[in-house]
């Protein structure tokens, strides 16, 4: 049984997709844990905020979820041709929590998914670059849902199969 952290980097359709991944994982005998980044209300990262805010329990909680997971699936929409700010902000905070923050990402499988009115491909490209840079093993085939590419359970099943192997 695998334990997969599913990060929803937006409310609405991407959170719904994260919950579909969780349900599908559980139907296959795995554990899915959904973290809704918007609900965490993480303050905007700045060097000044880093010095002022020493107790960020939500960041520590995300770190614990990452460390206790076998892999991650990130569901994020395309924002102006890139990734959503809430995801970039989380990664910025994670990167200053310890001198060895890459332990969170090194060799960790990461599956990417996007529900987006803007297509989703640019968000996936941005996430692929960032997670690869952090040392993750990004799964090659993402799940992208948009106006011309509707939801397919088979796409979720293929991504799940790849992250739990």
């Amino acid at each position: 049984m695998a334990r997969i952290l599913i990060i929803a980097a937006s409310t609405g359709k991407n959170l719904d997709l994260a919950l579909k991944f969780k349900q599908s994982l559980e139907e296959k005998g795995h554990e899915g844990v959904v973290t809704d980044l918007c609900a965490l209300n993480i303050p905007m990262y700045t060097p000044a905020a880093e010095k002022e805010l020493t107790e960020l329990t939500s960041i520590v909680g995300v770190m614990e979820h990452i460390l206790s997971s076998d892999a991650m699936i990130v569901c994020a929409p395309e924002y102006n041709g890139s990734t959503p700010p809430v995801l970039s902000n989380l990664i910025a905070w994670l990167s200053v929590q310890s001198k060895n923050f890459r332990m969170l990402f090194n060799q960790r499988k990461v599956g990417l998914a996007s529900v987006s009115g803007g297509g989703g491909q640019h968000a996936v490209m941005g996430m692929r670059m960032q997670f690869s840079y952090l040392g993750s093993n990004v799964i090659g085939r993402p799940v992208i849902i948009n106006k011309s590419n509707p939801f397919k359970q088979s796409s979720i099943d293929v991504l799940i199969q790849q992250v739990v192997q």
Side-chain angles (χ1 to χ4, degrees):
M1 178 178 99
R3 183 174 199 269
I4 309 300
L5 173 62
I6 308 156
I7 294 177
S10 173
T11 56
K13 294 177 182 176
N14 282 278
L15 179 56
D16 292 344
L17 180 59
L19 295 171
K20 286 180 183 175
F21 272 109
K22 176 181 171 51
Q23 179 182 3
S24 295
L25 280 159
E26 291 172 351
E27 288 171 358
K28 294 171 183 1
H30 303 290
E31 181 182 0
V33 176
V34 174
T35 296
D36 176 359
L37 296 185
C38 295
L40 296 178
N41 290 318
I42 300 169
M44 178 61 70
Y45 174 80
T46 65
E50 178 187 350
K51 292 175 186 171
E52 294 170 12
L53 302 172
T54 57
E55 293 294 322
L56 288 171
T57 55
S58 57
I59 298 295
V60 171
V62 172
M63 289 174 65
E64 290 171 353
H65 282 310
I66 292 172
L67 290 171
S68 67
S69 69
D70 298 304
M72 294 189 295
I73 296 172
V74 183
C75 301
E78 186 171 307
Y79 273 44
N80 302 311
S82 190
T83 58
V86 70
L87 180 60
S88 298
N89 191 48
L90 171 71
I91 293 171
W93 276 110
L94 290 172
S95 73
V96 297
Q97 296 306 303
S98 76
K99 290 182 180 177
N100 191 18
F101 83 95
R102 288 186 187 241
M103 68 182 176
L104 297 168
F105 302 102
N106 270 341
Q107 299 183 20
R108 187 169 309 280
K109 287 184 185 178
V110 177
L112 304 175
S114 181
V115 180
S116 187
Q121 293 86 355
H122 289 103
V124 168
M125 284 189 306
M127 290 188 292
R128 181 178 310 285
M129 265 191 343
Q130 189 158 37
F131 285 107
S132 294
Y133 177 80
L134 294 170
S136 299
N137 296 329
V138 181
I139 302 299
R141 181 180 171 195
V143 171
I144 297 177
I145 301 167
N146 54 39
K147 292 174 189 167
S148 61
N149 191 27
F151 172 81
K152 295 180 200 85
Q153 182 63 44
S154 60
S155 295
I156 285 181
D157 293 341
V158 167
L159 187 59
I160 286 173
Q161 180 184 9
Q162 292 177 327
V163 297
V164 300
Q165 287 181 356

